[in-house]
Amino acid sequence: MKVSIRYHEILEEFLEKELNWLKEEFEILFQSKTKNYTKDDKKLANNILDYILENTFVYDNIILINLLNETLENIEKQYINLF
């Protein structure tokens, strides 16, 4: 069995793609509503974030943890009234 030397780079690339998807998803779902969010919108947003947090593996890699944290903080700042 051969282990890739680029393992951590590959994980970071995958996480970046996933986080880009997350940002785009929030833009598609919530950007046009600007501050007029329903309870269903808030529930959906929280469910999406919960899913990402539960299913994104960062393997105790501080770079990946920081990348995930930074993206989630930016989303929460951009959509303040949603959370």
Side-chain angles (χ1 to χ4, degrees), residues 70-83:
E70 181 182 318
T71 302
L72 294 179
E73 284 179 0
N74 288 338
I75 288 172
E76 289 177 353
K77 286 178 186 175
Q78 186 173 358
Y79 303 97
I80 286 179
N81 295 327
L82 190 56
F83 299 100

Side-chain angles (χ1 to χ4, degrees), residues 17-29:
K17 288 179 183 178
E18 190 171 327
L19 295 176
N20 283 333
W21 170 86
L22 179 64
K23 288 187 256 182
E24 290 172 2
E25 192 70 21
F26 267 81
E27 288 174 9
I28 291 168
L29 292 172

Side-chain angles (χ1 to χ4, degrees), residues 59-74:
Y59 304 100
D60 296 328
N61 182 325
I62 194 69
I63 294 170
L64 299 180
I65 292 170
N66 287 337
L67 185 60
L68 178 62
N69 187 44
E70 181 182 318
T71 302
L72 294 179
E73 284 179 0
N74 288 338

